Amino acid sequence: MHKSNQDTSLNPFTSEEASENYSNADFLYEQSARHAVNFFSPLIADPDSKIIDLGTGTGVSAKVLIENGAKNLTLIDPSVAMLQQAEKKFSAAASYIQAGAEDFAVHFNHDVDVIYALNCFHLFSDIGAVFEEIKKASKPNAHFIFNVSMPSFCFGLMPEDEYNCVKANRDFYNNLALVSDSPLIGNTVRLFDKLLNEDFEGLVSKTVMTELINSCGLKLENYAEYAIEGDSKAQKIIWELISTCLIPVKEERLDFLNNQKAPEKMFFRQAFFDILVNND
Ligand SMILES: C[S@@+](CC[C@H](N)C(=O)[O-])C[C@H]1O[C@@H](n2cnc3c(N)ncnc32)[C@H](O)[C@@H]1O
């Protein structure tokens, strides 16, 4: 595994416990991977395609890529603990690099066909720098496919199920702020509050993201939205994973989780961006 010295202090996925518990939420992350992979099955199955799964985590999307025929696959993540879980699953079926999206391109030279970054875009510290790295790694007309979800992405007015789910999540993060000093929580509560108040000013939307993509010399090829849905049990599993990342002491964590009220329905939207890179 290639290693980097990136500062991972803003990454909640660095502990061994978080990486071990991550598979409890596979059912959710796998849904995103299947949607994303559907866009590009022929390109993935081409044995000559060089594919990167950026922010691979424990390799949930890598599993779907391999199932769809990916042969030349590199898994990249700044968290050693997450990469080790992926390496246990796939061994020699993939290559592994410890790096962030902001500093991975040194390992490539305009030779990559498809780059996936699923369920991690909100963790990137500098999106402009990430796009520059994508350009350095990619062949002409390569694809960069990433997804975004609320609250870091704004879809506008919310249906009732989504509103109730956002409200419950805002309350969850507010309670989390009382027991964890993670710098990620304050901003998450702020975003949830803005969505609930229909104050969309300053939030990242499709228009804002498209302008950013264009200003970096990239071209938006496809865009799609869908919703991830589940019951209150599914929401609790997600909250358990988030708490594992942010409350290190197990007893404190279980006590905290017992007092959280999950919404009847888990419902949140995601959006896919398929970007054409280095096109002439
Ligand atoms: C929610 S997990 C998503 C994992 C996987 N892509 C999936 O869909 O299941 C987020 C992953 O992003 C990684 N990550 C955090 N900061 C990152 C960065 N700056 N660049 C790339 N990956 C990052 C984390 O270590 C974690 O493994």
Side-chain angles (χ1 to χ4, degrees):
M1 189 196 296
H2 290 279
K3 304 213 164 165
S4 89
N5 295 321
Q6 211 197 33
D7 173 11
T8 53
S9 59
L10 276 178
N11 181 2
F13 292 96
T14 50
S15 80
E16 283 196 8
E17 205 180 3
S19 70
E20 280 159 12
N21 288 354
Y22 191 81
S23 59
N24 295 339
D26 277 5
F27 72 97
L28 168 72
Y29 295 115
E30 226 176 282
Q31 285 184 43
S32 316
R34 295 202 184 280
H35 278 275
V37 164
N38 278 343
F39 275 121
F40 294 104
S41 319
L43 208 50
I44 295 164
D46 181 341
D48 292 329
S49 285
K50 194 173 171 78
I51 303 170
I52 290 178
D53 186 23
L54 197 54
T56 191
T58 60
V60 175
S61 15
K63 174 176 162 249
V64 178
L65 289 166
I66 290 171
E67 279 169 10
N68 280 270
K71 297 278 179 303
N72 188 347
L73 180 62
T74 303
L75 309 189
I76 302 180
D77 201 286
S79 161
V80 178
M82 295 297 261
L83 271 182
Q84 279 169 346
Q85 295 292 328
E87 210 166 352
K88 270 191 217 161
K89 285 188 209 158
F90 309 116
S91 183
S95 309
Y96 305 85
I97 296 176
Q98 188 217 345
E102 302 82 358
D103 68 354
F104 75 98
V106 66
H107 301 281
F108 303 90
N109 184 17
H110 293 297
D111 55 352
V112 180
D113 296 275
V114 192
I115 301 177
Y116 282 90
L118 299 186
N119 304 309
C120 55
F121 198 82
H122 59 293
L123 296 167
F124 297 167
S125 59
D126 179 347
I127 294 171
V130 173
F131 285 149
E132 286 310 311
E133 292 290 286
I134 298 283
K135 284 196 245 176
K136 282 186 212 158
S138 298
K139 274 183 187 168
N141 294 319
H143 289 267
F144 174 41
I145 297 120
F146 64 89
N147 67 348
V148 284
S149 36
M150 66 92 199
S152 41
F153 191 78
C154 172
F155 293 88
L157 295 175
M158 293 181 278
E160 195 183 347
D161 282 342
E162 188 172 24
Y163 183 91
N164 291 336
C165 183
V166 166
K167 196 161 171 298
N169 273 279
R170 190 269 318 269
D171 295 345
F172 167 81
Y173 274 93
N174 252 335
N175 295 339
L176 202 51
L178 303 174
V179 289
S180 165
D181 54 8
S182 165
L184 298 170
I185 298 172
N187 192 41
T188 307
V189 170
R190 184 186 69 84
L191 292 171
F192 277 131
D193 274 336
K194 280 179 78 72
L195 292 177
L196 291 168
N197 294 329
E198 295 177 12
D199 166 16
F200 303 142
E201 183 77 32
L203 297 183
V204 178
S205 61
K206 183 185 175 194
T207 311
V208 171
M209 187 70 87
T210 307
E211 278 166 9
L212 180 64
I213 289 165
N214 291 340
S215 73
C216 292
L218 303 166
K219 182 171 173 260
L220 180 60
E221 183 82 340
N222 282 303
Y223 172 87
E225 290 179 9
Y226 71 98
I228 290 196
E229 296 182 53
D231 54 12
S232 62
K233 212 169 135 209
Q235 179 66 78
K236 281 186 185 154
I237 290 172
I238 298 301
W239 284 354
E240 199 180 330
L241 177 63
I242 296 168
S243 310
T244 309
C245 293
L246 300 179
I247 309 176
V249 181
K250 194 168 179 187
E251 293 71 33
E252 280 178 25
R253 183 162 72 236
L254 294 180
D255 201 34
F256 170 78
L257 283 166
N258 275 339
N259 290 313
Q260 304 314 309
K261 191 166 165 22
E264 268 173 38
K265 215 175 155 196
M266 186 185 81
F267 179 101
F268 65 89
R269 278 178 283 177
Q270 293 200 318
F272 278 111
F273 286 84
D274 162 19
I275 297 178
L276 207 51
V277 188
N278 298 338
N279 85 307
D280 321 311

